[in-house]
Amino acid sequence: MEPLNLAVVGAGLIGKNHIQLIQSSEACQLAAIVDPFEASIELAKNCGVPHFSDLNDMLSALHIDGVILATPNNMHVEQTKVCMEYKVPVLIEKPVAHSVAEATELLNIAMRSPGIWDTLLVGHHRMHSPIIKRTRELIDSDVLGALVAVQGCALFCKPDDYFDAAPWRTKEGGGPILINLIHEIGNLRYLCGEIVAVQAMASNRRRNFDVEDTVSINLSFANGALGTFLLSDTAASGSSWEQTSQENKAYATSTDENCYHIAGTDGSISVPTMRLKYYPIKADRSWWKPFTSDIIPLERKDPLVEQLNHFCRVIRKQEKPLVTVRDGLQNLRVTEAVLEAVKTGRTVYIDDIG
């Protein structure tokens, strides 16, 4: 089977990562780089592919099987619409859009366009993690019973130079709610079902920036489960996905820590240590009775590689997108609901967002 021709639009940090993954893949090959900045010309030359400053020009000139959009958030919708006009499948880096309104517009267009819906994949790469997939399988197997509660956290410490290098991160829009939380929302929705309402409190007392550094969130799920989530970018803790999953080698790893604990009526799972506890006889479950305990084995894979392979299968119509535009929109809506809950101090219902 001939490798697919993929173009990467946006040659920043994330774009370069996609380029490297494509170059290492047997399923696809890099066909072009699209980026308006001069530095990308040399990058394209080194990669041995054509360089374009404009997406339209590239799609008019070349046969492209798929496009990866790694551009700023506010460009995602317009560039996706261009690709849709050329009937070219798209992997849209998360978030799917700059706002709920833009994401809703894209969703409506895609749903009205025959054959388009199944060609759009949103780049929430953690959904392709073997850890997340195995956890979802356990939940679906009913070993946990009906879901009751989830505890989650993303507690980590961004160094001071993270903010020195980009002062906008100290202002509204630069805090961990908009930068980091959307990853967690995607995970929790995939594992535990739709989130229907949120409550939240935030503090900026440790960094004293204009934006939050620590957030406490309550979550209500459509299936009746409740959840809590702690988020902080100034906590000396290893309880975050990056520091526990062992999937991004750039981060120090805490192999004994978890970032999620999911409990049902019959058992519970801690993620990503994958410590499973359950009552073997459901009719006899009681806090007086011992659990059966197990460590669920994992085959670890790079979720970004898995995402690229999945995108290639989506292009070939072998699979449907795991993360749809609707998923991307819903992740944005929940994230914006958390912001609204912080500002108002009220319970915010997701259906009221957008």
Side-chain angles (χ1 to χ4, degrees):
M1 189 177 293
E2 289 293 319
L4 297 168
N5 290 320
L6 301 188
V8 174
V9 184
L13 184 62
I14 297 173
K16 289 187 177 76
N17 199 358
H18 283 295
I19 289 169
Q20 292 175 358
L21 291 172
I22 293 169
Q23 289 177 315
S24 300
S25 174
E26 295 181 359
C28 56
Q29 60 189 8
L30 186 66
I33 292 174
V34 182
D35 190 278
F37 296 103
E38 190 171 339
S40 63
I41 299 175
E42 187 66 21
L43 175 63
K45 182 179 179 181
N46 292 337
C47 293
V49 298
H51 173 272
F52 295 85
S53 298
D54 181 78
L55 177 59
N56 263 300
D57 291 345
M58 186 273 295
L59 291 172
S60 298
L62 302 178
H63 168 71
I64 298 295
D65 296 306
V67 166
I68 296 178
L69 292 181
T71 48
N73 304 345
N74 60 356
M75 302 176 71
H76 287 179
V77 170
E78 287 305 313
Q79 290 179 329
T80 301
K81 285 157 62 174
V82 170
C83 293
M84 290 166 61
E85 290 174 4
Y86 284 87
K87 302 188 185 314
V88 175
V90 191
L91 194 168
I92 313 160
E93 260 299 344
K94 55 89 191 74
V96 65
H98 187 60
S99 67
V100 167
E102 285 189 331
T104 302
E105 176 194 6
L106 180 60
L107 175 63
N108 291 336
I109 293 172
M111 292 183 67
R112 291 196 303 265
S113 305
I116 292 294
W117 177 252
D118 289 337
T119 68
L120 304 179
L121 173 67
V122 182
H124 285 276
H125 69 278
R126 288 187 192 172
M127 298 302 97
H128 304 271
S129 164
I131 301 170
I132 293 292
K133 289 189 173 185
R134 189 70 183 97
T135 303
R136 173 67 181 267
E137 289 171 0
L138 286 169
I139 293 171
D140 289 345
S141 75
D142 202 39
V143 67
L144 305 186
L147 292 188
V148 173
V150 56
Q151 291 176 308
C153 58
L155 302 176
F156 48 86
C157 185
K158 294 175 180 175
D160 292 341
D161 58 12
Y162 173 88
F163 301 97
D164 295 338
W168 64 267
R169 292 168 175 156
T170 69
K171 306 296 182 183
E172 184 174 355
I177 292 177
L178 287 179
I179 292 179
N180 304 104
L181 184 62
I182 196 164
H183 294 282
E184 313 300 339
I185 297 302
N187 285 3
L188 294 176
R189 286 185 56 250
Y190 183 71
L191 294 175
C192 302
E194 288 298 341
I195 297 167
V196 295
V198 300
Q199 299 170 330
M201 294 187 296
S203 171
N204 65 348
R205 290 284 295 278
R206 291 297 159 266
R207 294 197 185 272
N208 291 312
F209 294 153
D210 293 342
V211 72
E212 79 281 347
D213 55 51
T214 305
V215 192
S216 175
I217 305 164
N218 291 330
L219 303 162
S220 176
F221 292 85
N223 57 18
L226 297 178
T228 63
F229 199 92
L230 280 175
L231 171 68
S232 179
D233 66 8
T234 191
S237 172
S239 298
S240 71
W241 182 265
E242 287 82 1
Q243 294 163 285
T244 60
S245 69
Q246 304 177 48
E247 291 179 342
N248 189 331
K249 303 306 180 185
Y251 293 92
T253 299
S254 302
T255 57
D256 61 338
E257 299 255 19
N258 289 292
C259 53
Y260 304 137
H261 181 76
I262 302 170
T265 52
D266 301 319
S268 61
I269 181 76
S270 296
V271 182
T273 61
M274 304 307 286
R275 294 171 181 150
L276 174 67
K277 294 183 178 181
Y278 62 97
Y279 291 116
I281 303 175
K282 293 186 178 184
D284 199 30
R285 61 193 182 92
S286 164
W287 64 355
W288 304 114
K289 303 285 183 168
F291 288 105
T292 295
S293 299
D294 199 1
I295 302 293
I296 304 302
L298 290 171
E299 180 185 4
R300 296 189 182 277
K301 297 179 180 178
D302 185 340
L304 285 168
V305 173
E306 294 300 292
Q307 177 181 252
L308 178 61
N309 291 335
H310 172 64
F311 182 47
C312 290
R313 293 190 291 271
V314 167
I315 294 171
R316 296 187 188 278
K317 301 187 184 304
Q318 296 169 337
E319 294 179 2
K320 295 185 182 299
L322 178 63
V323 185
T324 65
V325 172
R326 181 180 284 109
D327 289 318
L329 167 60
Q330 199 68 5
N331 292 341
L332 262 181
R333 292 177 76 200
V334 176
T335 304
E336 289 199 7
V338 171
L339 280 172
E340 183 69 13
V342 166
K343 291 176 181 177
T344 64
R346 299 174 181 172
T347 299
V348 177
Y349 295 90
I350 309 307
D351 284 348
D352 295 337
I353 298 297

